[in-house]
Amino acid sequence: MHSRDGRAAATATITVHCRFFARYADALGRDEMALEMPDGATVADAVGRLRDTLPKADLLPERPLAAVNREHAAPDTPLADGDEMALLPPLAGG
Amino acid sequence: MHSRDGRAAATATITVHCRFFARYADALGRDEMALEMPDGATVADAVGRLRDTLPKADLLPERPLAAVNREHAAPDTPLADGDEMALLPPLAGG
Amino acid sequence: MDYLTRDPIDVGRLLGVVTDDGRGGTVVFLGSVRRGAEDGPVAAIDYDAYEEMAGSEFDRIIAEARERWPGAGFAAQHRLGEVPRGEPSIAVVAAAGHRAEAFEACRWVIDEAKHRLPIWKKERFDDGSERWREE
Amino acid sequence: MDYLTRDPIDVGRLLGVVTDDGRGGTVVFLGSVRRGAEDGPVAAIDYDAYEEMAGSEFDRIIAEARERWPGAGFAAQHRLGEVPRGEPSIAVVAAAGHRAEAFEACRWVIDEAKHRLPIWKKERFDDGSERWREE
């Protein structure tokens, strides 16, 4: 029974490694965290969860620039277990 | 009388210092010469005279690129006594 | 050569990467820290990056440029950490057969880099205050 | 700095002339001797100039550029005499507040220089033959 529950949980949820940079890291007071999400969740879903649960996360815009596994990613990009999702303030390189 | 003739000649003709470069200098076998022209002559007049009188001057185009006193000059540019007139093959700097 | 560096940018080294006697035109862009008169004198900019992504994104930009301008050579570098006023924070070099391509290719790479690299800047003013600058 | 030189072009020195912490964008153009596959390998180009005019014409071009892009900084140099394959024969540097101006200004100066400088080139091929090259 314990083993069945464990297996069911592993297929039903994913863990996403979130990273925050620059002004977002300053605002949240952290630069990374693990986030559990239901399987099938998108970048937009994960951002919504962060905005609902993190203190001061209303400092994040509803649709921040994001990257998944170190490539720019649209809000509807699906997330998989173990993905690295980064939230990027407006870019200002150069 | 000698002095009157001398004065008359000075107003009636001008001396232009001609310079030739690159392919034109090679073709003519010289890179400079003095040219006497009537007062009021233009660059085009001087080029015509050179083409009529210099050996191999038919290697010069009828309307070569020209400069007077180190500035680009159109064919109708008037010449004055002591001017430096340069004939320039197609430019190829850079 | 790494796309990211914490040392001053060495333009001569970047030029060495693209030099090829089939390439007659080379264009270099350097973006430097301005004193920035609007909000008081900027002493330096501290560049912060998502480094693992910035390096691979710069690599993707250059790979796309090579497809657009076959035969052209490219080198580029972004400096991170504190860059004093007047010094370059980014350099892009494009070398091609002729100058029109070299100008276009260099301009394209710097525009893409500005839009795509996950890099941020915090301005440090002469009075010691600092501020994230988003453009 | 002289607009004409018989020594290798020193890009670092030219950059030093235009560096100013109000100018955030700098564009450098380098035109180099190509091996020139069409007519056999070019070993070097011997650049010949109407020197007294070339210097003052380059000065007029830069003066016109300063009027078109007020506040921009310019430096430029053309090398004369024998320039070996792969080495630059001309360099133009334009520095301005922002990159769009710097690209436009640099491109304008090199285009004008190509059209207006009284300079000619004789190609020397690997087999020892040589020929005036008019483009």
Side-chain angles (χ1 to χ4, degrees):
Chain A
M1 194 173 94
H2 187 82
S3 131
R4 275 205 308 273
D5 282 351
R7 229 176 282 126
T11 44
T13 72
I14 59 175
T15 302
V16 176
H17 178 210
C18 299
R19 297 184 64 178
F20 311 113
F21 290 92
R23 192 164 51 75
Y24 294 168
D26 284 358
L28 299 173
R30 64 203 301 170
D31 58 12
E32 60 178 342
M33 63 173 288
L35 179 69
E36 303 267 311
M37 290 294 292
D39 196 10
T42 64
V43 166
D45 297 331
V47 170
R49 175 75 61 86
L50 290 170
R51 285 171 46 93
D52 288 345
T53 58
L54 274 186
K56 296 202 197 165
D58 52 331
L59 296 170
L60 291 178
E62 272 183 61
R63 293 169 58 112
L65 202 56
V68 174
N69 299 334
R70 304 170 184 179
E71 295 201 39
H72 289 290
D76 61 358
T77 304
L79 294 165
D81 189 52
D83 277 354
E84 177 172 293
M85 180 187 80
L87 300 188
L88 314 176
L91 305 184
Chain B
M1 194 173 93
H2 187 83
S3 133
R4 275 203 309 271
D5 283 352
R7 230 175 282 127
T11 43
T13 70
I14 58 174
T15 301
V16 176
H17 179 210
C18 300
R19 297 184 65 179
F20 312 112
F21 291 92
R23 193 163 52 74
Y24 295 168
D26 285 358
L28 299 174
R30 64 204 303 170
D31 58 11
E32 60 177 344
M33 64 174 285
L35 179 69
E36 302 269 310
M37 290 294 291
D39 196 10
T42 64
V43 166
D45 297 331
V47 170
R49 174 73 62 86
L50 290 170
R51 283 169 47 92
D52 289 343
T53 57
L54 272 186
K56 296 199 197 167
D58 53 331
L59 296 169
L60 291 177
E62 272 184 60
R63 291 169 59 112
L65 203 57
V68 174
N69 298 334
R70 302 168 185 182
E71 295 203 37
H72 288 292
D76 61 356
T77 304
L79 294 166
D81 190 52
D83 277 356
E84 177 172 292
M85 181 185 80
L87 301 187
L88 314 176
L91 305 184
Chain C
M1 197 180 314
D2 282 341
Y3 290 112
L4 306 177
T5 179
R6 293 189 175 268
D7 299 319
I9 289 174
D10 182 342
V11 177
R13 275 190 69 207
L14 293 170
L15 282 170
V17 171
V18 300
T19 295
D20 176 299
D21 62 19
R23 296 174 182 147
T26 302
V27 173
V28 181
F29 175 77
L30 296 174
S32 303
V33 173
R34 302 174 70 202
R35 66 176 170 265
E38 316 92 39
D39 309 288
V42 172
I45 289 181
D46 195 16
Y47 283 91
D48 187 22
Y50 178 9
E51 293 197 33
E52 305 92 325
M53 176 176 167
S56 52
E57 189 70 19
F58 223 153
D59 200 39
R60 285 189 286 269
I61 292 169
I62 299 295
E64 291 170 32
R66 285 188 215 285
E67 281 184 27
R68 284 171 177 256
W69 291 277
F74 295 91
Q77 211 160 38
H78 200 303
R79 184 169 167 189
L80 300 180
E82 180 162 313
V83 181
R85 170 168 74 203
E87 293 190 18
S89 54
I90 190 167
V92 172
V93 183
H98 296 283
R99 69 185 185 281
E101 301 163 75
F103 271 99
E104 282 166 25
C106 184
R107 181 68 194 266
W108 186 86
V109 171
I110 181 64
D111 286 352
E112 293 295 305
K114 292 244 179 194
H115 284 112
R116 292 165 55 177
L117 295 183
I119 296 181
W120 301 275
K121 54 190 180 195
K122 188 179 265 177
E123 290 176 331
R124 294 209 177 128
F125 296 94
D126 279 351
D127 67 7
S129 63
E130 50 183 48
R131 187 186 61 182
W132 290 108
R133 171 82 178 211
E134 295 173 359
E135 299 181 297
Chain D
M1 198 179 315
D2 282 341
Y3 290 112
L4 306 177
T5 177
R6 293 187 174 268
D7 299 319
I9 290 174
D10 182 341
V11 177
R13 274 190 69 205
L14 292 170
L15 282 170
V17 171
V18 301
T19 295
D20 176 301
D21 63 16
R23 297 174 182 148
T26 302
V27 173
V28 182
F29 175 78
L30 296 173
S32 303
V33 174
R34 302 174 70 201
R35 67 176 168 265
E38 315 95 37
D39 309 288
V42 171
I45 290 181
D46 195 18
Y47 283 91
D48 187 22
Y50 179 8
E51 294 197 35
E52 305 91 325
M53 177 177 166
S56 54
E57 189 69 19
F58 223 154
D59 199 41
R60 285 189 284 268
I61 292 169
I62 299 295
E64 290 170 35
R66 286 189 216 283
E67 280 183 28
R68 284 170 177 257
W69 289 278
F74 295 91
Q77 214 160 37
H78 200 303
R79 185 171 167 189
L80 300 180
E82 181 162 312
V83 181
R85 171 168 75 203
E87 294 190 17
S89 54
I90 191 167
V92 172
V93 182
H98 296 283
R99 72 185 183 281
E101 299 163 76
F103 272 99
E104 283 167 26
C106 183
R107 181 68 194 267
W108 186 86
V109 171
I110 181 63
D111 286 352
E112 293 295 307
K114 292 244 178 194
H115 285 113
R116 292 167 53 178
L117 295 183
I119 295 180
W120 301 276
K121 54 190 181 197
K122 189 178 266 177
E123 291 177 331
R124 293 205 177 132
F125 296 95
D126 279 351
D127 67 6
S129 64
E130 50 183 47
R131 188 186 61 182
W132 290 109
R133 171 82 177 209
E134 295 173 357
E135 299 179 302

